[in-house]
Amino acid sequence: MYDFIIIGAGVIGSSVARELSKYQAKTLCLEKENDVANVQSLANSAIIHAGHNPEPGSLKAILSIRGNLLYDDWEKDLHIPLLRTGAFVVAHNKEEESKLEDILETSRKNKVPNYEILSGDQARKIEPNLAKSITKVLSLPSTKVTYPWEVAFACMENAIDNGVEFQKNKLVTNISVIDGGFEIEVNHKEKYRTKNVINAAGVDSSNLGAFIEEPPFQIKPRKGEYFVLDKRVEGFMKHVIYPLPSDKGKGVLITPQVHGNILLGPSSEYIDDLHKAKTTDEGLAYIKKHSTALAENIPFHMIIRSFAGIRSTSTYDDFYIKESSENKGFYYLGGIESPGLTAAPAIGPYLVNEVIKVKNNYHPKADFNPYRSQRLEFHRLPWQEKKKLLDEDPLYGRIICKCEKITEKEIIDAIHGPLGSHSIKGIKKRVRAGAGLCQGGYCEEKIMKIIARELDISPLDLEYDDLKSKLFKEETKVKK
Ligand SMILES: Cc1cc2nc3c(=O)[nH]c(=O)nc-3n(C[C@H](O)[C@H](O)[C@H](O)COP(=O)(O)OP(=O)(O)OC[C@H]3O[C@@H](n4cnc5c(N)ncnc54)[C@H](O)[C@@H]3O)c2cc1C
């Protein structure tokens, strides 16, 4: 019998897994996808918000302010990349300027550090491409940007290193209450028993609760679409640029990314399907229209990709992080929409220490290792180090992804790593092969061959993304 089973390995399930790995408890994390961070944590703006937006006193406010600070520890301990961009919330006229005062007041109440108001001209001296129509700006220097996939990998790798079990391709298909805990059915056949369940299933969190009770909230999925600009635009905007928020959320933003790309988006649209993250002509047109209010001459010709994500907005007006009132030992992490990525480093400790109070029943591990080793990025190394590695393994000399300069050895390490990946997208998430200008047009075929060779599998078994995304249907030119 497990002490804890976590359902879902997005940034939230992974943060909880790491926090539980500090205790002498038997913990398992089950994920329905073939990788961590494949749903909400895959497709978002990557911003570590300053805390200027959430209602003062709410869990969203408290945990996002804590989370923003804790990212500095995670950067050191877990090697999570951070870009300290700062942010500007912009106003275009007197009416908007008075709304900016409200956000300033929220920032004051939430104890956001070092915020200040700048005139449009002062802001344009710092960001010359800011729209000329902008009259006032709220500057939020503590805003940062991270790489969300790496956040989930880092936490889960560190949790595994400290004894947590992780199993992918495990869809939870039923939960029943048993004596002393719960029985979890996976893929309609296997069964696992546990004393406690941590429901970190994102958009599916209320459906999972419904296996055992009337869930305390419902998810109202809200889609957001984006454009990605090539990293050659790096420096076009150095700050995150927010419009004033509306009833549709934070609005369409301009967001520099840690690898030099810029994101435009997201849109905001309630949809019926919890899982249908598809871009549309209307959604993308909306982004173009609204981003032009923020900046002059946006280099739209540098768009290399579009994508969509689904927010787990809920009928409860805040993060729902509570134990079930009917079934003790069943914990909800529901409605973790934005600023969930920001709050992730605080949500694990909040659940484990303040809600479950794990310390009352389990001893801390004396040998807990808080550190995770850094992923090697060959092209960033000084020449002497490159030479040393090349002498050790000539595959560091074989560049597979020319856009991002990723070597064959880095791809092989990603396939066999602690959270090894066997899909094209999994390799892209780990080492950025295929994330550049050609979007995999040049390297995908080579990566397929490397995966098939390393795992000794047929190309017919290769996946692009999830288990349903087989790359090939059948062989067409079979030698007789
Ligand atoms: C468009 C958009 C923009 C955003 N921008 C930001 C931002 O800039 N800053 C910020 O702080 N936050 C942002 N967010 C919010 C942030 O992305 C989320 O709060 C965070 O990713 C939530 O993580 P999670 O682990 O709860 O959910 P998820 O990443 O969705 O993880 C849930 C996991 O549960 C698994 N699962 C579900 N059902 C089952 C089952 N039956 N069996 C097994 N596994 C199951 C899923 O496969 C999934 O991997 C944004 C979100 C979106 C969609």
Side-chain angles (χ1 to χ4, degrees), residues 305-322:
R305 189 178 183 83
S306 60
F307 68 90
I310 299 183
R311 305 168 180 93
S312 61
T313 307
S314 87
T315 46
Y316 187 75
D317 215 14
D318 197 358
F319 292 157
Y320 191 94
I321 307 180
K322 293 185 190 183

Tab-separated table of all heavy atoms in Angstrom, residues 305-322:
chain	number	residue	atom	x	y	z
A	305	ARG	N	5.661	29.572	-35.404
A	305	ARG	CA	4.748	28.540	-34.897
A	305	ARG	C	3.550	29.193	-34.197
A	305	ARG	O	3.651	30.339	-33.741
A	305	ARG	CB	5.508	27.688	-33.859
A	305	ARG	CG	4.794	26.460	-33.402
A	305	ARG	CD	5.617	25.655	-32.416
A	305	ARG	NE	4.914	24.445	-32.072
A	305	ARG	CZ	4.925	23.340	-32.796
A	305	ARG	NH1	5.640	23.285	-33.892
A	305	ARG	NH2	4.254	22.277	-32.423
A	306	SER	N	2.452	28.451	-34.125
A	306	SER	CA	1.342	28.864	-33.264
A	306	SER	C	0.956	27.644	-32.427
A	306	SER	O	1.228	26.509	-32.823
A	306	SER	CB	0.152	29.345	-34.103
A	306	SER	OG	-0.284	28.309	-34.933
A	307	PHE	N	0.385	27.889	-31.258
A	307	PHE	CA	-0.065	26.766	-30.425
A	307	PHE	C	-1.179	27.242	-29.508
A	307	PHE	O	-1.441	28.445	-29.414
A	307	PHE	CB	1.100	26.162	-29.612
A	307	PHE	CG	1.660	27.068	-28.542
A	307	PHE	CD1	1.158	27.058	-27.252
A	307	PHE	CD2	2.713	27.924	-28.827
A	307	PHE	CE1	1.680	27.891	-26.253
A	307	PHE	CE2	3.242	28.765	-27.846
A	307	PHE	CZ	2.727	28.743	-26.568
A	308	ALA	N	-1.831	26.294	-28.840
A	308	ALA	CA	-2.908	26.654	-27.909
A	308	ALA	C	-2.791	25.824	-26.635
A	308	ALA	O	-2.296	24.693	-26.660
A	308	ALA	CB	-4.273	26.400	-28.555
A	309	GLY	N	-3.225	26.405	-25.533
A	309	GLY	CA	-3.274	25.689	-24.246
A	309	GLY	C	-4.653	25.881	-23.635
A	309	GLY	O	-5.398	26.777	-24.040
A	310	ILE	N	-4.996	25.024	-22.660
A	310	ILE	CA	-6.318	25.129	-22.026
A	310	ILE	C	-6.156	25.376	-20.528
A	310	ILE	O	-5.519	24.586	-19.825
A	310	ILE	CB	-7.154	23.856	-22.272
A	310	ILE	CG1	-7.341	23.699	-23.772
A	310	ILE	CG2	-8.495	23.940	-21.556
A	310	ILE	CD1	-8.196	22.541	-24.179
A	311	ARG	N	-6.722	26.483	-20.073
A	311	ARG	CA	-6.634	26.833	-18.646
A	311	ARG	C	-7.682	26.044	-17.849
A	311	ARG	O	-8.818	25.906	-18.309
A	311	ARG	CB	-6.898	28.318	-18.440
A	311	ARG	CG	-6.009	29.248	-19.253
A	311	ARG	CD	-6.577	30.636	-19.177
A	311	ARG	NE	-5.835	31.641	-19.910
A	311	ARG	CZ	-6.101	31.997	-21.163
A	311	ARG	NH1	-7.047	31.403	-21.850
A	311	ARG	NH2	-5.402	32.950	-21.732
A	312	SER	N	-7.293	25.603	-16.655
A	312	SER	CA	-8.269	24.855	-15.823
A	312	SER	C	-9.016	25.839	-14.925
A	312	SER	O	-8.998	25.717	-13.698
A	312	SER	CB	-7.569	23.771	-15.019
A	312	SER	OG	-6.624	24.359	-14.162
A	313	THR	N	-9.684	26.809	-15.548
A	313	THR	CA	-10.513	27.758	-14.797
A	313	THR	C	-11.644	26.968	-14.115
A	313	THR	O	-12.184	26.048	-14.726
A	313	THR	CB	-11.119	28.785	-15.773
A	313	THR	OG1	-10.036	29.352	-16.522
A	313	THR	CG2	-11.868	29.887	-15.053
A	314	SER	N	-11.958	27.337	-12.867
A	314	SER	CA	-12.991	26.544	-12.184
A	314	SER	C	-14.129	27.433	-11.682
A	314	SER	O	-14.027	28.655	-11.682
A	314	SER	CB	-12.376	25.767	-11.016
A	314	SER	OG	-12.355	26.559	-9.854
A	315	THR	N	-15.196	26.783	-11.224
A	315	THR	CA	-16.333	27.530	-10.692
A	315	THR	C	-16.007	28.108	-9.309
A	315	THR	O	-16.716	28.974	-8.827
A	315	THR	CB	-17.565	26.605	-10.567
A	315	THR	OG1	-17.124	25.388	-9.949
A	315	THR	CG2	-18.166	26.293	-11.915
A	316	TYR	N	-14.940	27.622	-8.666
A	316	TYR	CA	-14.472	28.188	-7.397
A	316	TYR	C	-13.560	29.348	-7.774
A	316	TYR	O	-12.740	29.231	-8.684
A	316	TYR	CB	-13.700	27.106	-6.630
A	316	TYR	CG	-13.295	27.484	-5.229
A	316	TYR	CD1	-14.233	27.520	-4.213
A	316	TYR	CD2	-11.970	27.781	-4.928
A	316	TYR	CE1	-13.865	27.852	-2.925
A	316	TYR	CE2	-11.588	28.111	-3.635
A	316	TYR	CZ	-12.536	28.146	-2.643
A	316	TYR	OH	-12.167	28.472	-1.365
A	317	ASP	N	-13.644	30.461	-7.052
A	317	ASP	CA	-12.985	31.664	-7.537
A	317	ASP	C	-11.514	31.784	-7.156
A	317	ASP	O	-10.965	32.876	-7.142
A	317	ASP	CB	-13.769	32.880	-6.989
A	317	ASP	CG	-13.771	34.000	-8.012
A	317	ASP	OD1	-13.417	33.716	-9.166
A	317	ASP	OD2	-14.104	35.141	-7.631
A	318	ASP	N	-10.879	30.680	-6.795
A	318	ASP	CA	-9.481	30.746	-6.317
A	318	ASP	C	-8.875	29.364	-6.576
A	318	ASP	O	-9.557	28.459	-7.055
A	318	ASP	CB	-9.501	31.068	-4.802
A	318	ASP	CG	-8.145	31.575	-4.292
A	318	ASP	OD1	-7.183	31.648	-5.080
A	318	ASP	OD2	-8.070	31.898	-3.083
A	319	PHE	N	-7.578	29.190	-6.258
A	319	PHE	CA	-7.040	27.830	-6.255
A	319	PHE	C	-7.837	27.041	-5.208
A	319	PHE	O	-8.062	27.554	-4.093
A	319	PHE	CB	-5.569	27.808	-5.810
A	319	PHE	CG	-4.592	28.455	-6.764
A	319	PHE	CD1	-3.367	28.929	-6.295
A	319	PHE	CD2	-4.864	28.580	-8.123
A	319	PHE	CE1	-2.447	29.502	-7.154
A	319	PHE	CE2	-3.946	29.160	-8.988
A	319	PHE	CZ	-2.733	29.622	-8.500
A	320	TYR	N	-8.241	25.793	-5.524
A	320	TYR	CA	-8.927	24.956	-4.547
A	320	TYR	C	-7.921	23.916	-4.045
A	320	TYR	O	-7.674	22.895	-4.706
A	320	TYR	CB	-10.163	24.291	-5.184
A	320	TYR	CG	-11.058	23.634	-4.161
A	320	TYR	CD1	-12.144	24.315	-3.626
A	320	TYR	CD2	-10.790	22.347	-3.709
A	320	TYR	CE1	-12.950	23.722	-2.653
A	320	TYR	CE2	-11.585	21.755	-2.745
A	320	TYR	CZ	-12.662	22.440	-2.224
A	320	TYR	OH	-13.460	21.868	-1.258
A	321	ILE	N	-7.311	24.178	-2.898
A	321	ILE	CA	-6.285	23.262	-2.370
A	321	ILE	C	-6.764	22.812	-0.982
A	321	ILE	O	-6.500	23.464	0.030
A	321	ILE	CB	-4.900	23.947	-2.291
A	321	ILE	CG1	-4.541	24.553	-3.656
A	321	ILE	CG2	-3.829	22.953	-1.831
A	321	ILE	CD1	-3.211	25.251	-3.724
A	322	LYS	N	-7.532	21.739	-0.970
A	322	LYS	CA	-8.174	21.302	0.274
A	322	LYS	C	-8.332	19.791	0.289
A	322	LYS	O	-8.368	19.160	-0.770
A	322	LYS	CB	-9.588	21.899	0.370
A	322	LYS	CG	-9.629	23.393	0.527
A	322	LYS	CD	-11.053	23.849	0.728
A	322	LYS	CE	-11.101	25.361	0.634
A	322	LYS	NZ	-12.360	25.953	0.870
